[in-house]
Amino acid sequence: MNGQDYYIPAVAMAVSLAFKVPALRADWRDPLLRSVCALLTLAGAVFTFAAPPTIAAVNRWTGVPNVSAPLVYCLMTAFSAACLVLIFNWRGGEPEEIRRTSRRWITGYSVVICTIIVVYALGSAPVERLRDFDTYYANTPYIRLMIAAYLLAHNVAAITMTAMCWRWALQVRGWLRAGLFIIVGGYSFSLAYDAAKMSAVVARWTGHDLDDLSTLVAPPLASMGALVSAIGFVLPLLCQRLSDNWRTWSTYRRLGALWYEMQSTAPAGTPSVRMSWWSPAEIRVIQRESDIHDGFLRLGPCFDTRCRDLAYERARADGSDEATARAVADAAMVAAAVRRSAGDPEGTRGGDGADEGADRVHVAADGPRDLVRISHALRHSPLVAAARRQAAALSGGCTAPSAPRRS
């Protein structure tokens, strides 16, 4: 593998990290976000410092022939720990238990990192090896312990991650399940990397030569494994964010019918809040809900509970469930009140049970989901259309379709 085979994944990790940094700055106390950012940072660092051109540059800058070897091994060990910590934070549970488990893994892998540094300092590796360090120094005192330590730590992490993600994937659905299976696929490459590296090193210990497994087979497996695993970690979080945004924008759009109806009742000259094009969808939904509730308050004197009750009975008789019938009833009362308000702009005539009607529509519309149901009924329900026509025909009267005749 040449330099670009390492640098391209490193850039991909950097781009992914750049998308996560704003969220981390907004909520830096979130352990899951911190874990994701740590994982992406370490993955990018591993790819960058494991590239042969970078290895040569670091060795040259420091004046130590193979100082890049322990640096890369320490980064790989830290990356393994970051993966384990992330999966525990991602899976959730008792916060104290998650922190305790995370500290154990961090402590254990910190010991491995310290061991790598110490045994490298005790050993001797004077001949620079950019691609075959593991096999060239496999029988060198102390250096072979460093090689064995990082391979063992990486293998433990790969086995643990594969087992945990596989079991968890069988218990969940959706994007999370897809992400977990992708992680399992990524760690399958990592396990193959460990097998190739260990086979080459053990072959050297026993006097055989399987160096090609270490120099030609293992590097692309490591690159693919880290890249696929990182995709598996990021994909569910990214898709969940996109899904949340889609639902929020859908709520904003579906509130449109009710919002426009309420805006038609606003007095002339009423200032409207202008939202910038970059305003988040959540803020837009909140503003639209606020405008709708303001409209309910303006229409309060025109609400007639008889209109609502009759529409409710008719909807139930037509087979609508409880939530839909309540939404149709509220929408019918709102539509009739809008027509009544248009015929009596000074508000000199109030509907029967006006105050009660205002209270009841607020109780029914106590959240975005109820408002969306009312908005949908306002646009699509034939009962609401009939109530609107009858109210307009009576020049401000507020009636509803008569209840079905009972035998």
Side-chain angles (χ1 to χ4, degrees):
M1 294 179 68
N2 53 33
Q4 69 179 12
D5 295 325
Y6 292 88
Y7 294 137
I8 291 175
V11 171
M13 299 299 163
V15 171
S16 300
L17 179 62
F19 280 107
K20 284 294 176 184
V21 167
L24 181 64
R25 292 178 61 184
D27 190 12
W28 65 273
R29 294 182 181 273
D30 186 345
L32 180 59
L33 273 175
R34 292 203 305 268
S35 299
V36 170
C37 291
L39 175 85
L40 294 173
T41 301
L42 288 169
V46 169
F47 281 120
T48 300
F49 287 95
T54 306
I55 292 174
V58 171
N59 292 340
R60 184 173 62 255
W61 292 339
T62 60
V64 181
N66 288 296
V67 73
S68 283
L71 174 60
V72 173
Y73 295 162
C74 288
L75 288 173
M76 291 183 64
T77 303
F79 173 75
S80 298
C83 291
L84 291 166
V85 170
L86 174 57
I87 203 67
F88 278 103
N89 279 284
W90 195 9
R91 189 178 61 176
E94 292 294 331
E96 185 56 37
E97 178 63 25
I98 295 173
R99 284 193 293 269
R100 185 162 51 248
T101 303
S102 299
R103 283 196 295 268
R104 289 172 182 170
W105 283 112
I106 292 172
T107 300
Y109 276 79
S110 297
V111 170
V112 175
I113 290 173
C114 292
T115 301
I116 290 173
I117 296 172
V118 170
V119 295
Y120 176 78
L122 294 174
S124 176
V127 180
E128 183 180 61
R129 310 300 299 185
L130 300 182
R131 299 178 183 274
D132 62 346
F133 181 90
D134 293 343
T135 51
Y136 187 87
Y137 288 105
N139 290 310
T140 302
Y142 294 111
I143 301 298
R144 63 186 175 189
L145 293 179
M146 178 185 73
I147 297 169
Y150 102 84
L151 286 175
L152 182 61
H154 189 268
N155 191 244
V156 168
I159 293 173
T160 303
M161 289 291 296
T162 301
M164 287 180 58
C165 292
W166 181 264
R167 288 198 302 267
W168 190 14
L170 298 179
Q171 302 170 5
V172 296
R173 293 291 184 271
W175 286 111
L176 176 57
R177 186 177 195 178
L180 290 169
F181 278 132
I182 291 173
I183 294 172
V184 170
Y187 272 93
S188 297
F189 285 105
S190 296
L191 289 171
Y193 164 84
D194 291 333
K197 279 285 186 179
M198 289 179 175
S199 297
V201 170
V202 171
R204 279 285 184 147
W205 290 349
T206 58
H208 298 84
D209 185 352
L210 294 177
D211 290 5
D212 285 349
L213 289 177
S214 178
T215 57
L216 300 179
V217 177
L221 290 174
S223 177
M224 184 63 68
L227 186 59
V228 172
S229 298
I231 291 173
F233 281 117
V234 172
L235 181 67
L237 300 175
L238 177 61
C239 290
Q240 183 62 48
R241 178 65 177 172
L242 292 176
S243 178
D244 291 343
N245 283 336
W246 174 263
R247 283 196 297 267
T248 303
W249 279 111
S250 178
T251 298
Y252 177 81
R253 178 183 57 82
R254 294 167 67 188
L255 287 173
L258 182 57
W259 182 79
Y260 283 115
E261 196 85 3
M262 294 301 100
Q263 290 298 98
S264 69
T265 67
T270 301
S272 59
V273 178
R274 292 186 176 274
M275 305 292 290
S276 56
W277 64 267
W278 60 82
S279 298
E282 293 85 354
I283 301 300
R284 292 176 178 269
V285 170
I286 292 172
Q287 182 60 49
R288 183 156 281 192
E289 291 174 15
S290 177
D291 291 341
I292 290 170
H293 284 295
D294 289 343
F296 286 164
L297 292 176
R298 288 193 300 269
L299 289 175
C302 295
F303 284 148
D304 189 339
T305 56
R306 293 175 304 171
C307 179
R308 181 187 191 280
D309 294 340
L310 290 174
Y312 175 82
E313 291 176 8
R314 182 63 182 273
R316 291 292 285 173
D318 288 345
S320 299
D321 58 38
E322 175 67 21
T324 302
R326 286 194 295 111
V328 169
D330 283 334
M333 185 168 66
V334 167
V338 170
R339 294 300 174 267
R340 182 183 181 87
S341 174
D344 183 22
E346 300 299 327
T348 58
R349 294 171 293 175
D352 293 339
D355 292 338
E356 181 185 357
D359 291 340
R360 291 180 69 176
V361 81
H362 277 290
V363 170
D366 58 358
R369 185 173 300 176
D370 291 326
L371 290 176
V372 166
R373 289 195 184 103
I374 295 172
S375 184
H376 182 271
L378 201 64
R379 174 176 293 178
H380 298 287
S381 173
L383 293 176
V384 175
R388 183 185 290 111
R389 288 194 301 269
Q390 292 185 24
L394 293 174
S395 300
C398 184
T399 62
S402 59
R405 180 176 299 176
R406 294 182 173 83
S407 56

